[in-house]
Structures are given as structure tokens and as C-alpha cells.
Amino acid sequence: MPNLFKGHSGCKIELDSKGRVHKTCPKHYNDRLFRQAAKQMEFKPIGNFRAAKVKNVGHGYITMNYEPYKNFDDFLQFSGKKELDFIGESLVYYIRTQCKKNRKRVSSKIIQNKYQKVSNQIFRRWGILVSELNFHFYDLPEYLYLITGQCHGDMTFSNILFDKSEMVLIDFLDTYLENPIQDYVKLRQDTKHKWSLNFSNVQNKTKIELALTYIDNMLKEELHTNFQEYYKEFQLLNLLRIIPYAKNKSVVDYLMKEIRLLCQH
């Protein structure tokens, strides 16, 4: 089977001769794999989004239908305003639909403990202290009142397959806090911070950057509706969480630059 790619978790994605996609993972990842598969199977279509159909789940693997749609970079480099509006409007509708009207009290200890764990991982892996960010997390109130709702868990543009009439979500992920803000920061990880573009091999990256910025301007409106109060803290933590898995120093430098720019606003 041809290997499509290998993620940070050590999981591999392969395509077999019958057109089925196999995701295989190390044994230690098995419990998470079952939770992720359940999340993907339980997802109900929202607007122009649906999930790739899971065919089978076993110890260390998931089998899914192959979706003959395009990756974000292949799609965006040939997209005009009509296609970009379609993507942006679909994403806004998805986020709004995931957000419920009520709010839930969440202990800030959940975010603080995650920040402390990630900070320690960054220091062990790269020898970098991020203590200048402490006040963003340790000065939070005892409880945060967050919009409730479901989330994909890793909704980067790399986990969306694109077509002119619909989009398919893949690689659902369980996360430390199941909340729509997680999907929002992941989307803007790409539209604002251009993260997935670092791993694109297409030539016309300038056009894709402009396309991502165009979509980001549509997503930014949601800040004032649902996420304004704690967006910065969740995005900082989101970007920090990538650093322990980075393969080289240039990627770390890129992420730290984006983190510093975010802190200035």
C-alpha cells in the first residue's frame, strides 16, 4: 500500500488497491484511536461538511472510504472569489452551528495544567523557557465561562478535503477540552498563522497565502460573537502544543515568532 503520510503521533495513512484508506497507529495510541474513530462516526453533517465514512475499527487501525477530493493547497491555488466565499461561509456556518447558546463554567486549572505540561515538554525537547507567557495563563480567573458545543479536535486545513460543493473532515481527535473554541483556533492556526502551508509543495504559495488571509477575514468576525474573551490564551496554548513535536529548529523558530506576534495584539 502506498504511504500517504505519517503524522506527529506516529500513525501512518496508507491507500490500498481497493481504494480504502488505512490509518495504523502504535499500540500505545490504541485507546485514543478508538475514541477518535467514535467521534468521526458520530459526526452528523453540518452545512457543507461531512465526515469521511469509517468502514472498520480494530486494535491499532481504522479503515475509511477514500475521498477523491483535493487537499487545501491544491484546491486553493486554483480558487477564485466564488470558491473562497464558499469555503469561508461554510466554515462560519460550521462554527456557529457547533456553538450552543448556553455557556459552561470551566476551571482555569484545566488550561493552566496543560500549559505547564507543554512548557515542560518544550524545555526538555528544545531547551526553551516560555515563562514570559505565564501571566496569560496564571492570571486567568478561577473559572472561565465558555460557549458549549462539540468540536472536531484537530480542524486544520490539512484535515479537510475540498470540493466545489462540499468538504470532508478526516482525522478527528480527542482533546483536553472538548469545546468549539478548539476548532476555531485550529482553523486560524492555518488562516492567520499559515501553519499547514509550511508543509506544502505547491509552487504558487503566494496565492494560497492570500486565499487563507481572505478566509481568515471572514472567520475573524466570529471573535466578537463567541470567542473574544479567551481567544488569545487558547491560541497561544494551541501553537505551543505543536513545538514539542517539531522536527527541526526552523519550525520552532517559526512558531515562536507567531507566538510573539500574537502576544503583541
Side-chain angles (χ1 to χ4, degrees):
M1 290 187 291
N3 186 16
L4 300 181
F5 60 87
K6 185 176 181 178
H8 290 312
S9 64
C11 299
K12 293 191 299 183
I13 307 293
E14 298 175 301
L15 180 65
D16 71 13
S17 59
K18 296 182 179 180
R20 296 171 300 190
V21 175
H22 299 270
K23 179 178 180 177
T24 56
C25 298
K27 289 183 179 179
H28 73 269
Y29 199 83
N30 198 59
D31 288 343
R32 291 197 72 186
L33 191 68
F34 276 103
R35 292 196 297 271
Q36 293 164 21
K39 199 173 186 181
Q40 186 165 332
M41 289 188 288
E42 291 166 2
F43 181 84
K44 300 293 189 297
I46 296 176
N48 297 311
F49 284 94
R50 64 177 175 83
K53 186 176 180 179
V54 175
K55 301 287 287 184
N56 197 11
V57 184
H59 288 283
Y61 73 90
I62 299 176
T63 302
M64 295 168 280
N65 282 349
Y66 173 70
E67 301 287 351
Y69 289 176
K70 292 184 178 180
N71 295 328
F72 82 98
D73 46 4
D74 287 331
F75 189 79
L76 290 182
Q77 68 174 327
F78 299 111
S79 294
K81 185 178 183 300
K82 180 180 177 181
E83 289 78 20
L84 297 182
D85 285 339
F86 170 74
I87 294 171
E89 290 166 4
S90 297
L91 289 171
V92 167
Y93 181 81
Y94 170 90
I95 292 292
R96 288 179 179 173
T97 303
Q98 291 288 63
C99 292
K100 307 307 177 186
K101 291 183 179 180
N102 58 310
R103 289 182 178 267
K104 180 180 180 180
R105 189 176 75 167
V106 176
S107 172
S108 60
K109 289 291 183 184
I110 296 173
I111 292 88
Q112 291 164 352
N113 291 341
K114 192 67 177 178
Y115 168 68
Q116 187 60 60
K117 180 180 178 180
V118 171
S119 298
N120 293 339
Q121 290 173 329
I122 290 172
F123 183 73
R124 288 196 300 268
R125 176 75 172 86
W126 294 104
I128 297 173
L129 288 171
V130 294
S131 52
E132 72 271 17
L133 303 176
N134 285 359
F135 76 94
H136 286 288
F137 300 95
Y138 297 129
D139 288 354
L140 287 170
E142 183 178 4
Y143 294 101
L144 313 181
Y145 291 85
L146 303 176
I147 287 285
T148 60
Q150 302 300 310
C151 69
H152 173 283
D154 192 21
M155 199 166 175
T156 66
F157 270 44
S158 296
N159 288 332
I160 305 173
L161 300 175
F162 293 85
D163 185 63
K164 291 184 178 182
S165 60
E166 70 172 356
M167 285 163 278
V168 177
L169 299 176
I170 60 174
D171 257 7
F172 285 67
L173 193 65
D174 58 330
T175 185
Y176 70 95
L177 180 65
E178 292 287 326
N179 189 279
I181 198 170
Q182 303 284 27
D183 282 355
Y184 186 72
V185 298
K186 280 291 183 181
L187 286 169
R188 296 200 71 207
Q189 172 182 308
D190 279 335
T191 59
K192 171 65 175 175
H193 301 285
K194 312 297 188 292
W195 165 249
S196 291
L197 198 54
N198 284 294
F199 309 100
S200 172
N201 293 318
V202 298
Q203 292 183 340
N204 198 355
K205 287 190 177 183
T206 299
K207 181 174 181 180
I208 298 174
E209 286 180 358
L210 292 171
L212 290 171
T213 299
Y214 184 89
I215 295 168
D216 189 64
N217 286 329
M218 301 175 75
L219 286 173
K220 276 195 300 188
E221 296 300 317
E222 292 307 293
L223 269 180
H224 304 288
T225 306
N226 293 312
F227 307 120
Q228 180 69 44
E229 195 168 9
Y230 301 114
Y231 168 76
K232 181 180 288 188
E233 287 75 21
F234 277 93
Q235 186 62 273
L236 285 171
L237 185 53
N238 175 55
L239 296 174
L240 286 167
R241 290 176 67 196
I242 304 172
I243 295 176
Y245 302 98
K247 303 298 184 184
N248 56 67
K249 188 61 164 53
S250 63
V251 170
V252 175
D253 291 342
Y254 175 84
L255 289 165
M256 289 304 299
K257 181 194 74 173
E258 293 299 312
I259 287 167
R260 293 186 186 102
L261 287 171
L262 182 59
C263 288
Q264 294 172 10
H265 296 88

